[in-house]
Amino acid sequence: MPPLDLGVLISGRGSNLQAILDAIADGRLDARVRLVLSNRPGVEGLARAERAGVPTRVIAHRDFTDRDTFDAAVVDALRDAGATWVVLAGFMRLLTTTFLDAFPHRVVNIHPSLLPSFPGVDAQQQALDHGVRITGCTVHLVDAGTDTGPILAQAAVPVLDGDDHDTLAARILVQEHALLVRALSWIAEGRLQVTPPAAPGGRARAAIAGVGTALGLAAADTALGLAEGGRARGGVGEVGEGA
């Protein structure tokens, strides 16, 4: 299969972008980043792309009167660059159907929780506020809802006694980097299977050939590192990949 032609959308430091760039450079991901686009100028992620020799573009959302017009401009830029898949790597904007219809089932997001728990902003603090003992991250396809698209893979992270937002977010981020690259590698290998909604208004379903269900605990019963006495017991690993 030809390499994935990626457009990566960012709004900030771009650490997940860096994980993608490093994986491509190391030969772990068969892809080309055709464009890194930010809705905010001067962010660190743009500098990361420039150091890697990747084209960059800034399209400021504040220059547009509505979301659809902004999304149409972003779509044009991605298409002009030759991107056929889009990765949201810390892109802090909701996408409209103008965007999603241009890349049907080809927009990938990484979210710092085990969806469907804690969608939306500040998922790490939501987890702390709810007192959960396990959280994590999710790679999913993007649909018109807020973090409701088909799940491709998840990784679990224990919540430790004494965790605050920053310590928990830092440990989740380590898993985000690995999981996003793994999911993109599966897509590059042609293993993604998407089943369209059975009826109008329904949800699409996604599966990765050769990989267990999104929460396949039977296939990965040690991956969660279940909490015991407020601390994690066992390791932290991916949830969803079979042996």
Side-chain angles (χ1 to χ4, degrees), residues 5-10 17-18 20-22 24-25 31-38 44-58 78 81 83:
D5 287 317
L6 302 176
V8 182
L9 305 189
I10 63 171
L17 164 66
Q18 189 66 60
I20 293 170
L21 295 172
D22 290 345
I24 293 171
R32 299 170 291 204
V33 179
R34 294 295 195 176
L35 180 68
V36 172
L37 188 148
S38 175
E44 184 180 351
L46 293 171
R48 293 178 189 269
E50 290 165 0
R51 288 195 294 269
V54 173
T56 62
R57 179 86 180 270
V58 174
L78 291 168

Side-chain angles (χ1 to χ4, degrees), residues 14 47 76 92 100 103 131 165 168 175 184 187 203 210 227:
D76 287 344
M92 304 306 291
L100 297 175
F103 297 96
H165 176 280
L168 180 58
Q175 295 297 321
L184 291 174
I187 294 171
R203 290 184 177 177

